[in-house]
Amino acid sequence: MYYYVNDDTKLTIDQVYACLFNDSFNSYYEEAIALVKKELVGLDYGGCPNYLHALRMGSAAFHIGDMAGDVTTAAILHDVLEDTDITGNELSGMFGEKVWALVDAVSRKQGQTYFEFIQQVIDAGPGAIKIKLLDINDHLFYKENINESLIKRYVKAEQMLKAALEKS
């Protein structure tokens, strides 16, 4: 299983986890890592603490290397607006407007269908698309723990996102 952004960019789970023990990753993203460890409680699809999903996302973005600091920070924080009481204004104040805009772009709004949400991600551009692709890949890594209809939805969204990324 790979974390996949495009045909040229595939990461193994070992590469993703290795980054979590990289001192430069941990020091540069210290504030974002501390926030998700504090705020994202509970378990993810794989039965791991939720914040590990956020750290795997940031690690994958960091490891790919073409994702600037703001995109990697947003990858770490991608679930914060949906899954915590932190507001967009608070997030913007802590991490800046660009990080907030990316996190907002990859956050599903109340009342949105899933594919309206995916179009919102596409409209936000390559940074948001890459974050969402990594998110889908991380969820699919644990596909034995999610139902078939959700897997199908993720696969369709992944195809849409890859096609949009190729056009950008």
Side-chain angles (χ1 to χ4, degrees), residues 75-119:
I76 295 168
L77 298 169
H78 77 282
D79 281 334
V80 167
L81 292 178
E82 287 181 0
D83 297 343
T84 74
D85 292 330
I86 294 173
T87 67
N89 285 338
E90 291 169 323
L91 194 65
S92 178
M94 288 185 264
F95 297 99
E97 192 72 21
K98 186 173 180 184
V99 169
W100 167 81
L102 284 165
V103 174
D104 186 59
V106 297
S107 297
R108 189 171 171 186
K109 311 302 183 276
Q110 191 169 355
Q112 263 184 331
T113 68
Y114 185 73
F115 290 102
E116 288 171 342
F117 161 59
I118 293 301
Q119 187 59 54

Side-chain angles (χ1 to χ4, degrees), residues 38-51:
K38 176 183 171 204
E39 297 291 334
L40 293 176
V41 295
L43 301 178
D44 68 11
Y45 291 131
C48 298
N50 255 340
Y51 71 84

Side-chain angles (χ1 to χ4, degrees), residues 37-73:
K37 281 183 174 180
K38 176 183 171 204
E39 297 291 334
L40 293 176
V41 295
L43 301 178
D44 68 11
Y45 291 131
C48 298
N50 255 340
Y51 71 84
L52 285 180
H53 167 66
L55 297 184
R56 288 190 303 267
M57 293 281 302
S59 174
F62 179 81
H63 193 73
I64 287 169
D66 69 331
M67 296 190 184
D70 288 338
V71 178
T72 298
T73 301

